[in-house]
Amino acid sequence: SQQGEEDPQALSIQEGENATMNCSYKTSINNLQWYRQNSGRGLVHLILIRSNEREKHSGRLRVTLDTSKKSSSLLITASRAADTASYFCATDPFTGANSKLTFGKGITLSVRP
Amino acid sequence: GAVVSQHPSRVICKSGTSVKIECRSLDFQATTMFWYRQFPKQSLMLMATSNEGSKATYEQGVEKDKFLINHASLTLSTLTVTSAHPEDSSFYICSARHPSRAFFGQGTRLTVV
């Protein structure tokens, strides 16, 4: 079942602008992860934030987590045309090799050159 | 980072035939692998959890006899779509956790004609 719900479902911005994507979830988590998928390809891990963390940075990515609201946001700063892809949040009930991630519906980001 | 390799990337088969998809962890051992199905512009739907040396665990609504999973070694899991029909046409993706992140194969585009 899909737990994560991202919004907006689609986002179109100009190169150089920032892109903010939101994710809400329903159950308790150990961590939340964001992934990116280029059309017709597998997913690539972007960033992981644990339930006891509130904010994390990685390059042009900034992710926040509010466990009281069961929500997370992913900010991509200074977007590039190459950032065009689908982005998914995934919730992890516990960490480990056999833990099942539950993916949201995804956000389609288009960055116009 | 860890690498998961999936083959083939594309396959076209005739209705009624079977198709095998391979998923390999190239530089780490994966006792558990996950198989997903993705419809166009939709999220990943977990089909089953593949466990090395034991039976796979299927999600509700997924036919075990239709989608045969074998995880014979710590680096290889296979998904066989048996007696394929056009409605089985989809994008199939495998993944393995290492240790917290999920690493995905490139995906297999299956078209049943």
Side-chain angles (χ1 to χ4, degrees):
Chain A
S1 62
Q2 300 299 321
Q3 172 171 220
E5 289 278 345
E6 294 99 335
D7 75 87
Q9 290 189 344
L11 182 60
S12 181
I13 59 174
Q14 198 73 35
E15 201 166 31
E17 294 179 339
N18 296 341
T20 300
M21 292 168 266
N22 302 301
C23 168
S24 60
Y25 58 93
K26 296 177 182 175
T27 62
S28 62
I29 61 171
N30 174 278
N31 63 82
L32 185 144
Q33 305 180 29
W34 285 89
Y35 289 81
R36 163 197 170 124
Q37 183 182 34
N38 286 82
S39 182
R41 304 299 297 272
L43 279 70
V44 174
H45 180 271
L46 294 176
I47 195 165
L48 179 155
I49 186 164
R50 302 192 188 284
S51 60
N52 61 353
E53 296 176 312
R54 292 297 167 258
E55 187 172 313
K56 207 162 180 181
H57 297 252
S58 176
R60 293 185 296 115
L61 304 179
R62 171 178 168 254
V63 66
T64 63
L65 179 65
D66 186 333
T67 53
S68 66
K69 295 181 180 178
K70 290 187 166 56
S71 67
S72 173
S73 68
L74 174 67
L75 169 68
I76 303 175
T77 60
S79 64
R80 305 167 182 168
D83 294 329
T84 295
S86 292
Y87 291 82
F88 296 89
C89 67
T91 54
D92 195 1
F94 59 93
T95 192
N98 58 353
S99 179
K100 299 180 195 178
L101 293 174
T102 301
F103 288 85
K105 295 180 180 179
I107 299 169
T108 302
L109 174 65
S110 298
V111 182
R112 303 186 301 275
Chain B
V3 177
V4 172
S5 180
Q6 185 176 341
H7 292 280
S9 58
R10 289 178 180 273
V11 59
I12 301 172
C13 71
K14 292 185 177 180
S15 192
T17 62
S18 296
V19 173
K20 180 185 284 189
I21 303 169
E22 291 189 349
C23 182
R24 294 179 185 274
S25 56
L26 297 187
D27 49 2
F28 67 100
Q29 294 183 333
T31 56
T32 303
M33 290 187 178
F34 301 92
W35 286 96
Y36 296 87
R37 182 173 180 175
Q38 185 178 33
F39 291 101
K41 298 189 184 302
Q42 294 192 25
S43 188
L44 282 73
M45 181 189 78
L46 180 65
M47 298 174 65
T49 302
S50 172
N51 304 298
E52 188 269 334
S54 64
K55 292 182 179 180
T57 306
Y58 289 82
E59 296 299 302
Q60 192 172 9
V62 178
E63 298 176 60
K64 301 178 183 181
D65 296 331
K66 175 76 171 172
F67 299 99
L68 297 179
I69 290 173
N70 184 276
H71 195 148
S73 77
L74 287 171
T75 58
L76 175 64
S77 175
T78 60
L79 169 68
T80 301
V81 183
T82 63
S83 187
H85 288 103
E87 56 265 32
D88 298 325
S89 298
S90 193
F91 191 62
Y92 295 88
I93 315 175
C94 67
S95 80
R97 305 286 302 268
H98 183 70
S100 299
R101 300 179 178 185
F103 291 89
F104 286 82
Q106 304 92 320
T108 298
R109 172 74 58 195
L110 171 63
T111 303
V112 185
V113 298

